[in-house]
């Protein structure tokens, strides 16, 4: 393993998401730069709460096996640590253990030996109840205070770890691979750099950019390498057809942030108000001026989800301009008719949610364009206590909308075109996030136990 010098540490990120794939040729170009570590994220809440609620993973097992085999081969060849965060998407213990099993399967197949560290992130519910009672849990953003009943309703609650648990795992002799539970996305990259003695501000900023792979390049790509030095870092994509520019890197610094300059995370806030972006080569950008302000207390984000009934949808297309011009009032009448038809079912036990693409399906009430398109895609979602009830209400809505009368109607039927059968599509159990809060902790590592294992 190449040792970090006093002046530079190199970190390779082959993709912004494990399981999405990446070009092996570009990975090899990165390995030729003799990186000191390979980091890759596997998690996000972007794809919804079902991972936590139902124990599902973001990508298929086959996709994870394919990517992991390539990355374990790279680790085996380069003899540098491989750090994977937020296993399976949600970073639950279930998926950390699933990744362990995949790594063991690959090791048996290839005859490799790894020293593996697993960092778990599930939080005991009794601990959460005690911390809530002690006033150490608060809302994160526009969510209500945490109710003890929601702790019980959550399938599992995870905490988002910072860099410290990864640093602690690296402190063990000769750890080859770390599989982390739910983690703040830049944490693995920051952990490698901070442990080597580099500026935490630059480490966190470089990690923030690199956790998305080469999304900071033009055109956006997969694989990227970062060169961290004492007073700056440099970013370069590994695809020769891509380039980092001052604009693309500065723009990506704004990605997924609620404030243009301040980015809060475990342990403190990254301040980017004095950052400078310089074009070093036609493909590489240098960043300096990042600052990190440690917090007065250490907080971690809690994430939890619960099941919330069953869901069915129907999908239909509409092109009649008279129908389209009245879509809101038509839907209101159809929904009212369906509620009346199912009057024996308490309305608070089910939800009807229309999505009108071509009108405001993406931005809802925030849509600035008030004139609908000449054709609409109508998706109506019903969430109810059972799959059968969700499908029944969905069917009533579809047939009523297809035959709904409206002023100026020319055809007597066929207002909608249905592209799929079954016409009502059952989607299974629905989930919703019900824990999205901050918890104050006394130690950044105490909640995240580490288990070591020899895999061969």
């Amino acid at each position: 393993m190449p040792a970090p010098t006093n002046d530079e540490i190199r970190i390779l990120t082959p993709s912004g998401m494990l399981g999405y794939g990446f070009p092996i040729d570009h990975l090899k170009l990165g390995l030729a730069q003799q990186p000191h570590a390979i980091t890759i994220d596997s998690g996000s809440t972007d794809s919804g709460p079902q991972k936590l609620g139902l124990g599902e993973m973001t990508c298929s097992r086959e996709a994870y096996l394919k990517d992991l085999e390539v990355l374990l081969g790279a680790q085996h060849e380069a003899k540098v640590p491989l750090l994977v965060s937020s296993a399976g998407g949600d970073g639950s213990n279930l998926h950390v253990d699933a990744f362990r099993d995949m790594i063991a399967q690959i090791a048996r197949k290839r005859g490799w030996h790894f020293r593996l560290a697993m960092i778990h992130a599930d939080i005991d519910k009794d601990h959460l109840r005690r911390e809530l009672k002690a006033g150490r849990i608060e809302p994160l953003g526009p969510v209500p205070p945490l109710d003890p009943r929601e702790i019980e309703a959550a399938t599992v609650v995870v905490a988002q770890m910072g860099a410290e648990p990864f640093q602690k795992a690296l402190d063990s002799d000769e750890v080859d691979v770390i599989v982390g539970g739910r983690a703040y996305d830049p944490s693995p990259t920051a952990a490698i750099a901070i442990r080597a003695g580099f500026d935490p501000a630059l480490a966190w900023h470089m990690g923030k950019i690199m956790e998305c792979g080469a999304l900071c390049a033009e055109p956006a790509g997969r694989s990227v390498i970062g060169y961290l030095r004492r007073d700056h870092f440099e970013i370069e994509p590994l695809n020769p057809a891509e380039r980092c520019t001052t604009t693309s890197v500065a723009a990506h610094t704004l990605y997924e942030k609620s404030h243009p300059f301040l980015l809060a995370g475990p342990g403190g806030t990254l301040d980017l108000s004095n950052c400078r972006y310089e074009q070093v080569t036609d493909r590489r950008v240098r960043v300096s001026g990042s600052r990190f302000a440690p917090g007065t207390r250490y907080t971690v984000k809690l994430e939890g989800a619960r099941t919330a009934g069953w869901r069915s949808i129907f999908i239909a297309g509409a092109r009649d301009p008279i129908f389209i011009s009245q879509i809101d009032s038509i839907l209101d009448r159809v929904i009212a008719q369906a509620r009346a038809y199912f009057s024996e079912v308490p309305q608070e036990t089910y939800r009807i949610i229309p999505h009108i693409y071509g009108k405001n399906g993406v931005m809802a009430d925030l849509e600035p364009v008030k004139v609908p398109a000449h054709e609409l895609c109508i998706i109506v979602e019903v969430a109810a206590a059972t799959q059968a009830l969700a499908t029944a209400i969905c069917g009533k809505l579809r047939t009523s909308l297809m035959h709904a009368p409206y002023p100026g109607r020319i055809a007597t039927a066929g207002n909608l075109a249905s592209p799929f059968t079954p016409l009502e599509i059952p989607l299974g159990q629905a989930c919703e996030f019900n824990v999205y809060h901050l918890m104050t902790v006394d130690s950044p590592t105490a909640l995240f136990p580490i288990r070591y294992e020899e895999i061969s």
Side-chain angles (χ1 to χ4, degrees):
M1 166 181 170
T5 69
N6 289 329
D7 300 318
E8 180 180 89
I9 188 168
R10 299 177 295 279
I11 300 177
L12 167 62
T13 298
S15 175
M17 181 69 72
L18 185 72
Y20 281 14
F22 48 85
I24 296 176
D25 289 348
H26 300 163
L27 175 66
K28 290 180 178 178
L29 290 174
L31 293 175
Q33 301 302 310
Q34 294 188 302
H36 300 101
I38 302 169
T39 63
I40 188 164
D41 185 39
S42 180
S44 177
T45 56
D46 293 353
S47 53
Q50 78 282 357
K51 296 186 291 292
L52 277 170
L54 299 178
E56 298 176 355
M57 294 195 291
T58 299
C59 300
S60 67
R61 180 181 174 86
E62 291 74 18
Y64 287 131
L65 280 168
K66 187 175 180 66
D67 281 6
L68 280 171
E69 185 164 359
V70 175
L71 294 177
L72 290 170
Q75 189 285 323
H76 185 73
E77 173 189 338
K79 305 302 181 189
V80 298
L82 168 64
L83 283 68
V84 180
S85 57
S86 296
D90 62 357
S92 65
N93 291 1
L94 175 70
H95 293 146
V96 171
D97 294 344
F99 272 35
R100 177 265 169 212
D101 292 344
M102 285 185 254
I103 290 169
Q105 177 182 333
I106 294 166
R108 287 193 299 269
K109 171 185 171 183
R110 300 296 296 269
W112 290 334
H113 173 268
F114 298 106
R115 179 163 169 78
L116 174 68
M118 292 158 284
I119 311 175
H120 290 108
D122 286 16
I123 306 301
D124 178 73
K125 290 185 177 181
D126 286 338
H127 179 78
L128 291 175
R129 293 186 192 96
R130 289 192 297 270
E131 296 300 283
L132 180 62
K133 188 175 181 180
R136 288 159 62 89
I137 297 178
E138 62 193 88
L140 175 59
V143 299
L146 185 58
D147 188 310
R149 292 171 295 185
E150 297 298 342
I151 296 175
E152 185 60 35
T155 304
V156 64
V157 179
V158 296
Q160 202 178 74
M161 70 184 77
E164 293 86 353
F166 289 97
Q167 292 175 260
K168 184 177 179 180
L170 287 165
D171 286 341
S172 176
D173 292 338
E174 298 180 358
V175 167
D176 300 304
V177 181
I178 299 175
V179 174
R182 188 66 172 118
Y184 182 45
D185 294 349
S187 291
T189 297
I192 290 286
I194 295 170
R195 183 173 179 270
F198 286 81
D199 181 2
L202 294 171
W204 282 116
H205 192 181
M206 190 172 84
K208 173 68 176 77
I209 295 173
M210 289 185 62
E211 56 96 355
C212 290
L215 199 59
C216 61
E218 296 179 354
R222 282 279 192 264
S223 306
V224 70
I225 190 166
Y227 303 84
L228 178 57
R229 297 170 186 141
R230 289 299 165 187
D231 61 354
H232 69 270
F233 64 88
E234 295 178 0
I235 297 286
E236 183 176 327
L238 292 172
N239 182 353
E242 299 163 2
R243 58 192 295 259
C244 280
T245 69
T246 53
T247 299
S248 69
V249 174
H252 189 71
T253 296
L254 298 174
Y255 180 64
E256 295 183 329
K257 289 175 62 190
S258 58
H259 190 285
F261 301 130
L262 303 178
L263 179 62
T269 299
L270 186 60
D271 182 350
L272 308 177
S273 57
N274 290 316
C275 279
R276 182 176 180 181
Y277 302 85
E278 302 171 83
Q279 199 74 44
V280 178
T281 71
D282 63 338
R283 301 183 57 250
R284 185 185 292 197
V285 167
R286 177 177 297 168
V287 183
S288 59
S290 312
R291 295 180 297 183
F292 185 78
T296 56
R297 57 196 175 100
Y298 198 106
T299 59
V300 294
K301 185 173 82 162
L302 303 173
E303 296 172 354
R306 65 176 179 180
T307 56
W310 300 74
R311 182 164 49 195
S312 295
I313 63 170
F314 74 79
I315 303 173
R319 200 180 185 283
D320 174 10
I322 304 172
F323 177 87
I324 289 174
S325 69
Q326 302 175 57
I327 185 62
D328 290 337
S329 60
I330 294 170
L331 270 172
D332 288 344
R333 290 198 302 273
V334 165
I335 291 172
Q337 290 167 8
R339 292 196 185 281
Y341 185 80
F342 288 95
S343 60
E344 74 281 5
V345 180
Q347 290 191 17
E348 65 272 13
T349 65
Y350 68 93
R351 289 182 289 173
I352 299 170
I353 309 169
H355 308 271
I356 314 300
Y357 291 94
K359 180 179 182 292
N360 60 0
V362 176
M363 295 186 66
D365 293 340
L366 297 176
E367 175 57 60
V369 179
K370 301 303 181 184
V371 180
H374 70 278
E375 62 180 12
L376 301 178
C377 174
I378 301 169
I379 301 176
V380 176
E381 168 190 356
V382 178
T386 67
Q387 188 73 77
L389 181 59
T391 302
I393 296 173
C394 199
K396 173 61 176 172
L397 289 162
R398 182 189 62 79
T399 55
S400 296
L401 189 61
M402 176 171 287
H403 300 289
Y406 52 90
R409 186 179 74 171
I410 297 174
T412 56
N415 301 323
L416 304 177
S418 298
F420 302 113
T421 56
L423 299 170
E424 290 79 49
I425 305 170
L427 296 183
Q429 276 190 290
C431 298
E432 61 185 3
F433 289 113
N434 67 331
V435 180
Y436 201 84
H437 295 72
L438 286 178
M439 181 168 70
T440 299
V441 296
D442 297 324
S443 163
T445 59
L447 291 176
F448 306 105
I450 304 172
R451 181 162 63 91
Y452 301 93
E453 184 176 350
E454 300 291 333
I455 302 290
S456 61

